[in-house]
Amino acid sequence: MKRLLTAGMALAIAGTLGLSGCSSSTTEATRQTGEAVGGAVKEGANAVGDAAKTAASATGQAALAPALTPVLNLLNKSNDEVKAGNLAGAIASMGGFSALWSTAGPVIKPLAGDKWPIIDTAARLALSTFEKGKTPTAANASSAITGLLGPLSALLK
């Protein structure tokens, strides 16, 4: 803020000198001062913009973790069951995915940004793979689970 105030004062002085019809060297000095002030103002604005982006990202991460954690826990548990050869256990665990996703998905969507289409596609695959009445193969179950685990986990990094 102090830097912007100093830059503003320098610009005002430079403008006054430029308007008073001083020599060409003074005019050149005025131009250079104006350029320096413009650069300082731009630098200050960039710093404010960067700070706002950082704050928004931190806020988004704080909101994202509580929505993602239960989904990731369920997916990791189901993935472990598939790896252990307990396909029935994975199918039973994933039976709760639909209800969990209907709550978490709308929270995750605006925070996922450009990653949302990949997440949405993977979630739809998981939902259809573990739809009531379906019995996926171990390979299909693993693929659906890991296909969603990857992009969701990446959101927390």
Side-chain angles (χ1 to χ4, degrees):
M1 188 64 149
K2 193 177 206 180
R3 192 172 192 178
L4 290 176
L5 182 59
T6 304
M9 289 175 60
L11 184 58
I13 292 168
T16 302
L17 291 173
L19 291 174
S20 66
C22 294
S23 70
S24 64
S25 63
T26 304
T27 303
E28 177 61 21
T30 301
R31 186 191 61 73
Q32 289 175 355
T33 302
E35 287 175 1
V37 168
V41 170
K42 183 178 179 181
E43 185 179 310
N46 285 342
V48 169
D50 290 345
K53 286 178 188 174
T54 300
S57 177
T59 301
Q61 288 295 335
L64 193 56
L68 273 178
T69 300
V71 175
L72 291 173
N73 288 344
L74 176 71
L75 292 171
N76 281 316
K77 177 183 177 199
S78 300
N79 194 40
D80 290 345
E81 289 172 339
V82 171
K83 287 179 182 177
N86 184 8
L87 183 58
I91 292 170
S93 293
M94 287 299 288
F97 178 71
S98 179
L100 183 59
W101 187 249
S102 68
T103 302
V107 175
I108 296 168
K109 182 179 181 177
L111 301 171
D114 62 351
K115 296 174 185 167
W116 177 251
I118 293 168
I119 292 168
D120 186 47
T121 299
R124 289 176 191 267
L125 177 62
L127 288 166
S128 67
T129 300
F130 292 98
E131 203 170 47
K132 187 175 181 174
K134 286 193 175 179
T135 307
T137 64
N140 288 345
S142 178
S143 178
I145 293 168
T146 58
L148 184 55
L149 257 174
L152 286 179
S153 297
L155 289 178
L156 293 177
K157 294 179 183 177

